Amino acid sequence: MPAAALEDVFREHHVMVFRAALRITGSAEDAEDVLQTVFLRLARREDESSDIEHLPGYLRRAAVNAAFDLLRSRQRMRSIPLEDVEPVLPDDAVSPERAAHAGEMRDWLRRTVARLSPMAAQAFALRFFEDKENPEIAQILGTSLGAVSVTLSRARDRVEKEYQAYWRKS
């Protein structure tokens, strides 16, 4: 890809790629690594990026995949139900215990989702981390709405089972 074209793509989409990676990794440093990985891979593509039918979807999927690859490579695994994951905001009303518990829950969820199949992890992240609706997920992943629904149902069931097992051990 020509440097000027890559620069334009970077300017237009780097924030979206960074945010997608940050939601998965929970770390700005890791998200920066993912951002760099995604755009280096795009720069090294032998075919033109203009061949990519839906560039934002491709970049988002690449960010999610690279973020999960990073988590998997670090062997950081655990799990938590989505209803129990709350953002930790700088607020005097949030106790240190609650903040620590929420952080533990988010780490568990990231590790659990990283153990899902790549397709399930992507769909799960898009639905529950990126707040995308199933039709948009189907478009991003290039699959049918039915496949997304089944994949999300199975992924959520697995996450919930792992959550139950995790907290029985604790």
Side-chain angles (χ1 to χ4, degrees):
M1 168 180 271
L6 182 61
E7 186 176 337
D8 290 343
V9 170
F10 179 83
R11 274 197 202 116
E12 187 174 345
H13 300 290
H14 76 280
V15 172
M16 180 264 307
V17 171
F18 178 83
R19 285 182 181 162
L22 182 62
R23 285 185 185 105
I24 304 288
T25 65
S27 160
E29 286 180 7
D30 290 343
E32 287 285 343
D33 290 344
V34 169
L35 178 69
Q36 182 178 14
T37 298
V38 167
F39 282 97
L40 281 173
R41 287 178 184 165
L42 186 63
R44 292 180 182 147
R45 283 179 59 104
E46 291 183 15
D47 54 342
E48 290 294 318
S49 66
S50 60
D51 293 344
I52 299 171
E53 189 172 317
H54 184 65
L55 188 59
Y58 169 85
L59 292 171
R60 181 177 285 113
R61 188 174 356 169
V64 168
N65 287 340
F68 281 125
D69 289 346
L70 180 67
L71 291 178
R72 286 182 191 112
S73 72
R74 293 190 179 157
Q75 303 290 318
R76 301 182 325 193
M77 303 295 175
R78 290 188 344 194
S79 298
I80 299 173
L82 297 175
E83 293 80 19
D84 291 345
V85 178
E86 298 178 36
V88 178
L89 302 174
D91 184 352
D92 294 336
V94 177
S95 71
E97 295 82 18
R98 186 170 179 169
H101 178 71
E104 181 181 343
M105 298 287 282
R106 281 191 305 277
D107 290 344
W108 174 90
L109 182 59
R110 285 185 182 102
R111 290 189 304 266
T112 299
V113 173
R115 286 192 303 267
L116 297 172
S117 72
M119 176 68 141
Q122 288 175 27
F124 193 92
L126 288 167
R127 179 68 184 101
F128 298 108
F129 298 165
E130 297 279 329
D131 202 30
K132 302 291 183 195
E133 296 296 327
N134 289 8
E136 188 175 2
I137 295 169
Q139 180 184 11
I140 290 168
L141 298 179
T143 190
S144 70
L145 183 58
V148 168
S149 297
V150 169
T151 300
L152 284 173
S153 176
R154 289 178 181 165
R156 186 170 176 108
D157 288 348
R158 180 171 169 193
V159 168
E160 287 176 358
K161 284 178 186 174
E162 288 194 28
Y163 175 75
Q164 295 301 323
Y166 177 79
W167 290 107
R168 273 193 291 263
K169 291 178 188 176
S170 299

